[in-house]
């Protein structure tokens, strides 16, 4: 709902010479939502001037605020009004004649305090002015009744003369004034009753507004607790993400280590293949040894008759046998070394398989 829809047709105000500002400040102006009686509706888009005016002729006080060409506050101060501070920088009062509640938001607590003090001061002055007005009305009424009685006695005492005619005319005027005064009293009583009923409704609206403020405070507290809980959850999730990142780094390091070990295994397998190729030469050497033995035996048979050459051949045979034994010893040592390396390679492979299973 726009703020402009809350304007009242009676809120027409024009500065007159008899009205003078006695206090001026700046504030954001709000009015209570007439449909809900709970929510505040801004009456101005920004801070505007709010002033107390004193009417010398009527002896009355008003709070006036104008936003551009639009009057947003025109509230006559009465003794029954109360200005309430609802927060450190916000205050409100109910105007039964305008049938609304005004709210002012100040930029500092000091401005609110000064405005509230001035409101109390103006309210007390309005009460004194009302009391004086009532005293004058009662005095005028008593005087009119006394004049009316005297005039009646004079009429009974004398029925002739221009003075009697004049007194009769004055007596009629006083009777009319007394009748009008009695009618005004009844009118004021009706208006006072209306004001009391309106004040009761506004008091109930203020109580509902206070309850709504408490509910908003509770909702704000719940939202703040939920916000703290979500922040803690975010911190936990960030910590979990950090742990996951560290785990990923450890997995990357393990993968690198596995790749290095696999490279070493490939190198070992290459060495093993080389050893296997070398071991394939051993049967050929054995075959050659057998062939040499046969040759030696044939040579021995052929050289039985050659004793001179036998000694030489024996020497060669001994040397050949020595070399053969030496070769067999070297071959045996080579086979033992090869078996040890094969066993070590198998152990290395089993360790690598176990490492891959653990990771």
């Amino acid at each position: 709902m726009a703020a402009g829809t809350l304007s009242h047709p009676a809120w027409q105000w024009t500065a007159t010479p008899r009205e003078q500002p006695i206090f001026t400040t700046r504030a954001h102006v709000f009015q209570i939502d007439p449909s809900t009686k709970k929510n505040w509706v801004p009456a101005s888009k920004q801070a505007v001037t709010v002033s107390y005016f004193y009417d010398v002729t009527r002896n009355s006080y008003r709070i006036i605020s104008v936003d551009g060409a639009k009057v947003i506050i025109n509230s006559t101060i009465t003794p029954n009004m109360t200005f309430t501070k609802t927060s450190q920088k916000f205050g409100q009062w109910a105007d039964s004649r305008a049938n609304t509640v005004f709210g002012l938001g100040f930029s500092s607590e000091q401005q609110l305090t000064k405005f509230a003090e001035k409101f109390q001061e103006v309210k007390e002055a309005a009460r004194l002015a009302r009391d004086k007005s009532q005293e004058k009305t009662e005095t005028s009424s008593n005087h009119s009744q006394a004049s009316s009685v005297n005039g009646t006695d004079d009429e009974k005492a004398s029925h002739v003369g221009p003075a009697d005619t004049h007194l009769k005319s004055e007596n009629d005027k006083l009777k009319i004034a007394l009748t009008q005064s009695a009618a005004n009293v009844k009118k004021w009583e009706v208006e006072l009753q209306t004001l009391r009923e309106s004040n009761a409704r506004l008091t109930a609206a203020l109580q509902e507004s206070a309850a709504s403020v408490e509910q908003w405070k509770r909702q704000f507290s719940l939202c703040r607790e939920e916000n703290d809980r979500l922040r803690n959850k975010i911190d936990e999730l960030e910590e979990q993400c950090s742990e996951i990142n560290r785990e990923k780094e450890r997995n990357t390091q393990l993968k690198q280590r596995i790749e290095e070990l696999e490279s070493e295994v490939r190198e070992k397998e290459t060495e093993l293949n080389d050893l296997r190729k070398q071991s394939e030469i051993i049967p050929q050497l054995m075959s050659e040894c057998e062939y040499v033995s046969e040759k030696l035996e044939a040579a021995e048979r052929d050289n039985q008759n050659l004793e001179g050459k036998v000694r030489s051949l024996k020497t060669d045979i001994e040397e050949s046998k020595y070399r053969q034994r030496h070769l067999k010893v070297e071959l045996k040592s080579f086979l033992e070394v090869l078996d040890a390396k094969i066993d070590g390679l198998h152990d290395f492979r089993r360790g690598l398989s176990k490492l891959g299973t653990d990771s």
Side-chain angles (χ1 to χ4, degrees):
M1 180 180 291
T5 58
L6 297 176
S7 60
H8 195 275
W11 295 357
Q12 302 296 328
W13 174 78
T14 304
T16 59
R18 67 171 182 266
E19 282 187 308
Q20 299 296 329
I22 58 176
F23 180 83
T24 300
T25 185
R26 292 184 66 83
H28 290 272
V29 180
F30 299 86
Q31 294 180 31
I32 202 73
D33 191 338
S35 60
T36 63
K37 299 295 184 181
K38 294 181 180 180
N39 301 325
W40 288 108
V41 179
S44 62
K45 296 182 179 179
Q46 57 187 359
V48 295
T49 300
V50 182
S51 302
Y52 285 93
F53 277 81
Y54 174 60
D55 191 332
V56 179
T57 304
R58 298 180 179 178
N59 196 19
S60 62
Y61 297 86
R62 288 196 293 175
I63 299 177
I64 303 295
S65 181
V66 180
D67 186 9
K70 180 178 66 176
V71 178
I72 55 179
I73 299 179
N74 184 5
S75 178
T76 302
I77 305 298
T78 64
N80 296 327
M81 288 184 177
T82 301
F83 185 83
T84 305
K85 296 181 182 179
T86 58
S87 67
Q88 292 182 348
K89 298 180 181 180
F90 193 87
Q92 63 186 42
W93 78 95
D95 190 337
S96 58
R97 294 183 180 179
N99 194 23
T100 188
V101 179
F102 293 101
L104 297 180
F106 296 89
S107 60
S108 65
E109 185 178 0
Q110 290 76 9
Q111 291 182 348
L112 173 61
T113 302
K114 290 181 180 179
F115 188 90
E117 292 174 352
K118 196 65 180 179
F119 193 98
Q120 186 64 27
E121 177 184 338
V122 169
K123 172 183 172 181
E124 183 65 21
R127 185 187 65 79
L128 294 175
R130 183 191 64 182
D131 294 342
K132 290 181 180 180
S133 177
Q134 290 178 351
E135 291 177 358
K136 289 182 180 179
T137 302
E138 292 175 357
T139 302
S140 175
S141 176
N142 294 334
H143 179 72
S144 297
Q145 291 176 357
S147 299
S148 176
V149 172
N150 292 334
T152 302
D153 294 339
D154 290 341
E155 286 178 356
K156 291 179 179 180
S158 177
H159 298 281
V160 294
D164 293 338
T165 303
H166 178 70
L167 289 175
K168 184 177 180 181
S169 175
E170 290 294 330
N171 189 23
D172 293 337
K173 291 180 180 179
L174 290 175
K175 288 181 179 180
I176 294 172
L178 181 60
T179 303
Q180 291 179 349
S181 177
N184 289 333
V185 168
K186 292 181 179 180
K187 180 180 178 182
W188 292 338
E189 288 177 352
V190 173
E191 185 176 356
L192 179 60
Q193 183 63 28
T194 302
L195 290 175
R196 286 176 179 174
E197 293 176 355
S198 178
N199 189 32
R201 290 194 300 269
L202 291 174
T203 302
L206 287 175
Q207 292 175 353
E208 292 178 359
S209 177
S212 178
V213 169
E214 292 297 328
Q215 183 179 1
W216 292 340
K217 288 181 179 179
R218 288 193 296 271
Q219 291 179 353
F220 176 75
S221 178
L222 292 175
C223 291
R224 184 167 56 188
E225 292 176 358
E226 181 67 15
N227 189 22
D228 294 338
R229 189 183 66 80
L230 291 175
R231 285 182 179 176
N232 294 332
K233 185 65 176 178
I234 290 172
D235 293 337
E236 293 176 0
L237 293 175
E238 289 179 349
E239 182 65 24
Q240 292 178 2
C241 290
S242 299
E243 184 65 25
I244 291 173
N245 292 331
R246 289 194 292 269
E247 187 67 25
K248 287 182 178 179
E249 292 178 357
R250 287 195 293 269
N251 290 336
T252 303
Q253 294 175 357
L254 288 175
K255 287 182 180 179
Q256 293 177 354
R257 180 58 180 166
I258 290 172
E259 291 176 356
E260 293 175 357
L261 293 174
E262 289 178 349
S263 176
E264 292 180 2
V265 168
R266 287 193 293 270
E267 292 178 357
K268 294 295 182 182
E269 288 179 349
T270 303
E271 292 180 1
L272 180 59
N273 291 330
D274 293 338
L275 291 174
R276 285 176 179 174
K277 290 180 181 178
Q278 292 178 6
S279 65
E280 292 176 356
I281 303 174
I282 293 175
Q284 183 179 356
L285 294 176
M286 293 294 292
S287 156
E288 291 179 357
C289 289
E290 291 177 356
Y291 177 73
V292 170
S293 297
E294 291 177 357
K295 285 287 187 181
L296 288 174
E297 292 175 356
E300 288 177 355
R301 288 191 300 268
D302 292 338
N303 293 328
Q304 286 178 357
N305 299 325
L306 299 173
E307 293 179 354
K309 294 182 179 180
V310 167
R311 289 190 295 272
S312 177
L313 288 174
K314 283 183 178 180
T315 304
D316 293 335
I317 290 171
E318 291 295 330
E319 290 177 357
S320 178
K321 287 182 178 181
Y322 174 76
R323 287 195 299 272
Q324 186 177 2
R325 288 193 301 271
H326 184 69
L327 183 59
K328 287 181 178 180
V329 171
E330 289 180 352
L331 181 60
K332 186 178 180 180
S333 299
F334 178 77
L335 290 173
E336 290 176 354
V337 172
L338 180 60
D339 291 335
K341 288 192 174 185
I342 290 172
D343 293 337
L345 185 59
H346 284 307
D347 294 337
F348 182 79
R349 179 170 293 191
R350 284 195 298 270
L352 182 60
S353 299
K354 185 178 180 181
L355 178 62
T357 303
D358 294 338
S359 62

